[in-house]
Amino acid sequence: MTGAAIEATDLVREFKKGPRAVDGIDLRVEPGEVYGFLGPNGAGKSTTVHMLTTLLPPTSGSALVAGHDVVKEGAQVRGAIGAALQEAALDPFLTGREHMKLQTALHGMRGVEARERSDVLLARVGLTQAADRRVGGYSGGMKRRLDLALALVHRPRILFLDEPTTGLDPQSRSALWDEVARLAGDRGVTVFLTTQYLEEADVLADRVGIIHKGRIVAEGTPEALKDEIGRPSVEAIPCDRGDLPRMKGVLSRFGEFVTGSPKGASVRLSGGEAQLADVVRALDAEDIHVEHLQLHRPTLDDVFLSKTGRSLEGAAEEPRQPEEPVPA
């Protein structure tokens, strides 16, 4: 693939009687890259994916996926991509193998080719033993893995994963992470991954775009974004809640306040980790007994907080906009 795998310019999606779900984003994803699209519910992640996968037309702006215009060349885009979206379109009365048979047929595969491709993918996602069971009896993790296998049937160059691990147990989440990393590393597949999990973006993504209220507010490698914040913070909770005002007075000497536990106070240390011992001595000098003291190194949540004034992990869930179907 020459050029960008995904490129969007001033992409907008506005719903009737509602705000702009996507408000003029620009992004570029290179071939073979894992791009993490990070943000809280309601930020515009899924709406962006639906536009890039031709399921929803943009209100304005443009986007190219695999070199094809998502509005004018929808069929070519769909031929180049695979997508595992939040609501998997699985029939509970069909088995995993029957789903694979149907999907291979839709992509023009027959006979030995279809059976071999199905067997390979079912094995890759760890569903060989469950292949002949009805999907209605699958766990959430098994359904996610089957959906991933279905998305890979036609060997797509670009894979869209829309919050693929939401609701999964840690073991299932780890297994899916391993498969995504292998696809990108061994197969050179471009992966566009939306998530609200900081750890997921940190582990998997080569680069991260942070979206807030329909706009990309930060973009870069996870390490580069955290380096922008640079300084760690310290959080302290007093044994006696009545000491909290005095504790805040002490901590204010060491940096600016940041969001933390309502039971205590947190400041970003102007002098870095070396100040931690000074903080402890200052609290001791004021005879403030501490129940909890913790040093926090910069995280992607800190990046989100610095860019938006709110914590991603604590962001309130915003209502989703109804999405209008695209005519067939």
Side-chain angles (χ1 to χ4, degrees):
M1 184 187 301
T2 57
I6 302 168
E7 189 167 14
T9 303
D10 199 21
L11 197 63
V12 171
R13 177 64 207 192
E14 189 170 4
F15 293 98
K16 295 177 182 176
K17 300 180 181 178
R20 289 188 174 193
V22 176
D23 192 12
I25 65 171
D26 299 312
L27 62 84
R28 180 184 175 96
V29 181
E30 301 299 334
E33 185 175 30
V34 178
Y35 186 88
F37 207 39
L38 183 65
N41 286 340
K45 301 188 305 297
S46 293
T47 302
T48 300
V49 167
H50 287 176
M51 287 190 286
L52 294 177
T53 56
T54 77
L55 295 177
L56 195 65
T59 302
S60 62
S62 63
L64 299 177
V65 175
H68 301 290
D69 187 287
V70 297
V71 174
K72 300 175 182 177
E73 302 173 290
Q76 293 93 322
V77 171
R78 291 188 288 274
I81 67 173
L85 305 182
Q86 285 189 49
E87 287 87 26
L90 301 175
D91 188 326
F93 296 103
L94 295 181
T95 67
R97 196 179 305 279
E98 287 168 341
H99 276 89
M100 295 300 297
K101 182 177 180 180
L102 177 60
Q103 190 78 347
T104 53
L106 289 173
H107 287 286
M109 299 181 194
R110 300 288 186 274
V112 174
E113 180 191 15
R115 288 194 297 274
E116 289 182 349
R117 184 64 178 156
S118 295
D119 289 344
V120 166
L121 290 173
L122 287 168
R124 186 185 296 177
V125 298
L127 290 177
T128 299
Q129 293 184 349
D132 296 310
R133 288 166 45 193
R134 288 185 177 181
V135 167
Y138 280 16
S139 68
M142 294 167 73
K143 290 176 182 177
R144 292 282 189 178
R145 284 183 278 142
L146 176 59
D147 201 33
L148 177 60
L150 294 170
L152 295 172
V153 159
H154 58 304
R155 298 177 177 86
R157 293 176 286 165
I158 302 169
L159 180 63
F160 289 88
L161 300 177
D162 190 12
E163 301 200 21
T165 62
T166 298
L168 297 191
D169 61 84
Q171 184 177 0
S172 296
R173 183 175 297 170
S174 179
L176 198 142
W177 286 0
D178 289 343
E179 182 57 27
V180 171
R182 194 191 69 79
L183 281 168
D186 298 346
R187 304 280 177 173
V189 175
T190 304
V191 180
F192 190 94
L193 169 75
T194 77
T195 183
Q196 54 184 309
Y197 296 125
L198 299 166
E199 183 186 6
E200 188 158 88
D202 221 347
V203 168
L204 291 176
D206 299 309
R207 285 191 306 128
V208 169
I210 297 179
I211 185 170
H212 177 59
K213 295 184 178 179
R215 292 180 174 270
I216 294 178
V217 296
E219 189 177 50
T221 68
E223 289 307 313
L225 289 174
K226 287 183 285 187
D227 285 346
E228 284 185 18
I229 304 302
R231 294 171 286 119
S233 63
V234 64
E235 179 179 72
I237 298 175
C239 293
D240 182 351
R241 299 297 181 260
D243 285 336
L244 183 55
R246 288 199 301 132
M247 175 177 277
K248 289 182 176 179
V250 171
L251 293 181
S252 67
R253 307 173 200 166
F254 298 94
E256 73 272 17
F257 286 101
V258 295
T259 301
S261 169
K263 297 179 181 180
S266 300
V267 296
R268 194 164 313 283
L269 298 172
S270 57
E273 292 183 28
Q275 282 189 305
L276 184 60
D278 295 332
V279 170
V280 172
R281 284 192 288 267
L283 291 170
D284 188 54
E286 295 291 332
D287 197 29
I288 299 174
H289 298 284
V290 177
E291 176 184 296
H292 172 84
L293 184 73
Q294 185 173 0
L295 183 73
H296 295 280
R297 290 182 173 82
T299 67
L300 289 176
D301 195 39
D302 293 319
V303 176
F304 190 85
L305 178 64
S306 73
K307 300 293 183 179
T308 68
R310 63 194 293 207
S311 169
L312 177 59
E313 295 285 22
E317 189 166 310
E318 298 174 17
R320 295 179 182 276
Q321 297 298 326
E323 298 198 343
E324 303 152 9
V326 180

